[in-house]
């Protein structure tokens, strides 16, 4: 059982901890002393949390041990750089995630630079992964909105690798932008409004994104927001996956999504609220 003041106390600890993390380590002690105002319990909690944050835990050590092996495994996947696939000449790899890898390519027919997103080779035999990849093409192709990424076409290589051809936007993900420091309120709200407009378009087509997070939002050099990665979207007449577990990114999921309950467009609005707060 918690007392009436317990939530406020933990809110204060969270606030002081966040402020300390935004400062250089050499400046933290002075900041904590001033922020805690003589409250030794809060200072102790914040200091303990900072020590835990800065220390290397079991998971960190495991990651360090597995990193060389992961690097070797990544090296076994043949790069597509230099290959010509249809009218596309692969120039360089520019990104990648759990399911897809993205290359910069030149469209020789239209003389333009594009992005080609390929399904990771080890997913080619996975019916669920292929279904998600095709669903992304279907979901995005159904919409035409300035705040949603465009898909030029879908294709398949001679050896059966699926790909999507998209514009190569010049800019950075919202995750990259946030990593440099807090956004001014006006900028944060402007970005959130554009995400909301793109989601409104998707929702009007019966599409629920289900994975709104900073890494799935691109901000172009002109300040235009593009919602990316509809790979786990749900259409009103199609289920994106064959799994029964929650699909998405835990930190941004609505409670209903995390509990595998029926979802509608409101789960995206929850995720957008988390992104705006972040």
């Amino acid at each position: 059982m918690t007392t009436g003041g317990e939530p406020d106390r933990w809110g204060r600890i969270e606030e002081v901890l966040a402020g300390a993390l935004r400062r250089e380590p050499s400046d933290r002690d002075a900041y904590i002393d001033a922020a805690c105002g003589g409250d030794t319990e809060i200072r102790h909690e914040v200091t303990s949390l900072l020590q835990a944050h800065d220390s290397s835990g079991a998971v960190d050590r495991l990651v360090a041990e597995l990193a060389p092996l992961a690097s070797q495994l990544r090296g076994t996947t043949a790069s597509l750089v230099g290959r010509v696939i249809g009218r596309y000449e692969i120039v360089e790899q520019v990104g990648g995630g759990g399911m897809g890898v993205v290359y910069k390519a030149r469209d020789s027919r239209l003389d333009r630079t594009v992005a080609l997103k390929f399904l990771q080779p080890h997913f080619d035999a996975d019916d669920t992964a292929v279904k998600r990849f095709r669903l992304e093409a279907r979901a995005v192709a159904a919409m035409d909105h300035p705040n949603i990424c465009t898909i030029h076409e879908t294709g398949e290589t001679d050896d059966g690798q699926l790909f999507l051809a998209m514009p190569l936007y010049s800019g950075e993900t919202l995750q990259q932008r946030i990593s440099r420091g807090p956004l001014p309120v006006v900028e944060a709200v402007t970005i959130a409004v554009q995400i909301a407009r793109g989601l409104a378009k998707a929702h009007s087509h019966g599409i629920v994104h289900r994975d709104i997070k900073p890494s799935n939002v691109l901000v172009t050099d002109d300040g235009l927001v593009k919602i990316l990665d509809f790979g786990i979207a749900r259409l009103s007449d199609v289920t994106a996956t064959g799994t029964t577990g929650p699909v998405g990114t835990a930190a941004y999921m609505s409670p209903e999504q995390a509990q595998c309950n029926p979802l509608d467009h409101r789960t995206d609005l929850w995720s957008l609220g988390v992104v705006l707060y972040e």
Side-chain angles (χ1 to χ4, degrees):
M1 179 180 295
T2 59
T3 63
E6 192 74 4
D8 292 338
R9 176 173 174 271
W10 280 107
R12 181 59 182 152
I13 291 171
E14 181 182 3
E15 180 183 344
V16 176
L17 177 63
L21 289 172
R22 287 196 295 267
R23 287 164 170 78
E24 294 295 329
S26 59
D27 299 329
R28 287 176 180 173
D29 284 342
Y31 164 77
I32 294 172
D33 286 337
C36 292
D39 190 322
T40 56
E41 290 188 4
I42 289 183
R43 194 189 195 293
H44 174 73
E45 292 287 354
V46 171
T47 302
S48 297
L49 290 170
L50 276 175
Q51 290 173 347
H53 176 273
D54 293 336
S55 64
S56 174
V59 173
D60 301 293
R61 292 191 292 271
L62 180 61
V63 169
E65 292 171 1
L66 292 179
L69 176 60
S71 178
Q72 292 176 14
L73 291 174
R74 284 195 296 270
T76 63
T77 301
S79 172
L80 297 177
V81 174
R83 283 186 58 181
V84 177
I85 298 172
R87 67 176 193 264
Y88 301 109
E89 179 184 349
I90 310 295
V91 177
E92 63 177 315
Q93 183 175 334
V94 294
M99 285 184 59
V101 57
V102 181
Y103 289 91
K104 176 181 177 181
R106 190 180 71 85
D107 182 343
S108 59
R109 183 184 302 170
L110 297 176
D111 193 22
R112 64 181 176 182
T113 301
V114 299
L116 297 185
K117 179 179 179 180
F118 289 82
L119 186 65
Q120 293 276 22
H122 55 277
F123 282 119
D124 286 339
D126 184 337
D127 289 341
T128 297
V130 170
K131 185 177 181 180
R132 287 187 190 178
F133 200 77
R134 294 188 186 278
L135 177 65
E136 178 173 9
R138 177 181 171 185
V140 178
M143 298 173 285
D144 180 16
H145 193 275
N147 297 126
I148 296 176
C149 69
T150 302
I151 287 186
H152 295 319
E153 68 168 335
T154 63
E156 189 171 340
T157 65
D158 292 337
D159 53 358
Q161 280 189 266
L162 299 172
F163 68 86
L164 310 176
M166 304 174 289
L168 183 65
Y169 299 111
S170 178
E172 62 182 349
T173 66
L174 185 55
Q175 183 179 45
Q176 292 170 322
R177 173 64 185 86
I178 291 174
S179 68
R180 298 202 305 273
L183 277 65
V185 172
V186 172
E187 183 180 355
V189 171
T190 298
I191 290 172
V193 167
Q194 292 189 66
I195 298 173
R197 288 173 177 161
L199 287 175
K201 181 69 172 183
H203 297 160
S204 71
H205 283 259
I207 297 169
V208 182
H209 189 285
R210 299 201 300 175
D211 201 20
I212 294 297
K213 57 184 178 181
S215 61
N216 281 341
V217 175
L218 182 83
V219 183
T220 70
D221 292 341
D222 297 328
L224 185 63
V225 168
K226 299 285 185 179
I227 301 174
L228 308 174
D229 204 346
F230 282 77
I232 63 167
R234 181 185 63 77
L235 275 65
S236 56
D237 61 339
V238 176
T239 301
T241 71
T243 62
T244 56
V247 178
T249 304
Y252 303 91
M253 286 183 183
S254 66
E256 292 81 6
Q257 186 172 355
Q259 295 169 13
C260 303
N261 291 335
L263 300 177
D264 59 26
H265 66 281
R266 290 172 292 181
T267 192
D268 285 343
L269 301 185
W270 173 285
S271 301
L272 174 55
V274 177
V275 171
L276 177 58
Y277 177 82
E278 184 176 351

